[in-house]
Amino acid sequence: MGHVLLMTDTAAANLRERVASIAPDLQILELIDGVELSEDELISITHAFFSADCWPDRSTPFLRACLAAPNLRWLQSASAGGDHPVFAKFQDRGVEVLFTPGGSAPSIAQTVMMMLLALVRGLPELLDAQQRRAWEVRSTVDVGDLRVGIIGMGSIGAEVAKLVSVTGAEVIGVRRTPRGDEPCETWPDSRRDEVLASSDVIVLCMPLTDETHHSIGNREFSMMPKGAIVINVGRGNCVDEEAMIAHLESGHLGGAGLDVFAVEPLPQESPLWSMPRVLISPHSSGTTDRSIRRTEDAFVENLRKTT
């Protein structure tokens, strides 16, 4: 049986020549919207690339095809991590599953900086005044006068720390066990509450695990300073969303920049949509041309190693 690589038609258009140059015997099978793969095609699949363009609409048909491919033995994902249970199913079958940690980290960090500056410097209020044609002068603060706490110092947290540090802000990171090579002062998890209680801005970059599920809830929001800003680019279920909404509605939290949510797409009825100091991006903080190129480069390099 020959080797067959499943990828979307979009990814194939970008990568066909590069794949052929390193794995000339590897045939490409394209997943095309609305076209079902035959049983023989599913049986033939040995490799798969879950590329960035799959998210969000093509994720289900792509992963369904992979699950139905009995001879799949290698799966490269463009995502940073594998907390979704579907990846455990592949690993239980003996499929080698590879991720792309750090591939989109610089792009995500730029989204964090965008949200941080917008909320600290009052962009929502400026846009509201502009819509009303109102000349309303407001005093704001410099980011450099603030303390920014970053919970989760993996590749994303590290990139956030590098960008935020340029402003002159005091940046404190938190991770389970600091390694000493972080780009900012970093404390262990045992001191997380100190960071939450003393930071003007909290950036959440944690993966979703049993330990981090709802690890930022009513208790944690209550200890944050009044007016604190929360930015979440980790996973939606790391936060107790109802508790966050309550603290935003009460005014205890001064705003939120959210790229991830407990339910995605964010339901139309969620009050987060209409809150004046909440910025929403549709789990797309890392979706840039450059980050896509980085994930494609990682795929090609890993494919080179396995063929």
Side-chain angles (χ1 to χ4, degrees), residues 28 73 99 115 133 138 167 173 199 207-208 219 274-275 282 288 301:
I28 292 179
R73 60 180 178 85
F99 301 100
M115 290 177 166
R133 300 173 182 252
R138 292 180 173 84
T167 68
S199 296
L208 181 62
R219 171 184 172 276
S274 57
M275 289 184 167
T288 67
E301 180 58 28

Side-chain angles (χ1 to χ4, degrees), residues 129-130 132-138:
Q130 181 175 339
R132 294 184 285 105
R133 300 173 182 252
W135 188 269
E136 298 174 349
V137 179
R138 292 180 173 84

Side-chain angles (χ1 to χ4, degrees), residues 234-245:
R235 287 293 184 264
N237 276 312
C238 290
V239 170
D240 181 337
E241 213 164 85
E242 290 187 6
M244 178 177 64
I245 290 170

Side-chain angles (χ1 to χ4, degrees), residues 113 150 158-171 183-184:
M113 182 62 81
I150 302 172
E159 291 294 334
V160 171
K162 292 175 188 176
L163 271 188
V164 175
S165 295
V166 172
T167 68
E170 180 185 9
V171 182
C184 65

Side-chain angles (χ1 to χ4, degrees), residues 218 221 240-253 271-272 275:
N218 184 65
F221 289 122
D240 181 337
E241 213 164 85
E242 290 187 6
M244 178 177 64
I245 290 170
H247 282 269
L248 285 165
E249 289 177 334
S250 73
H252 179 72
L253 289 180
L272 291 169
M275 289 184 167

Side-chain angles (χ1 to χ4, degrees), residues 21-43:
S21 69
I22 61 172
D25 295 330
L26 187 63
Q27 300 178 45
I28 292 179
L29 175 62
E30 297 182 20
L31 185 75
I32 301 172
D33 290 343
V35 178
E36 292 288 332
L37 298 179
S38 70
E39 184 175 348
D40 286 344
E41 287 174 323
L42 292 171
I43 290 173

Side-chain angles (χ1 to χ4, degrees), residues 68-138:
N71 294 306
L72 179 69
R73 60 180 178 85
W74 188 90
L75 170 64
Q76 170 77 55
S77 173
S79 61
D83 50 74
H84 194 287
V86 70
F87 294 114
K89 293 182 179 180
F90 290 116
Q91 291 167 330
D92 290 343
R93 285 172 42 185
V95 176
E96 181 181 8
V97 182
L98 303 175
F99 301 100
T100 317
S104 58
S107 302
I108 294 172
Q110 290 181 35
T111 297
V112 170
M113 182 62 81
M114 175 190 71
M115 290 177 166
L116 188 157
L117 286 169
L119 291 168
V120 169
R121 300 304 296 265
L123 182 61
E125 290 78 13
L126 288 172
L127 292 175
D128 175 67
Q130 181 175 339
Q131 289 294 317
R132 294 184 285 105
R133 300 173 182 252
W135 188 269
E136 298 174 349
V137 179
R138 292 180 173 84

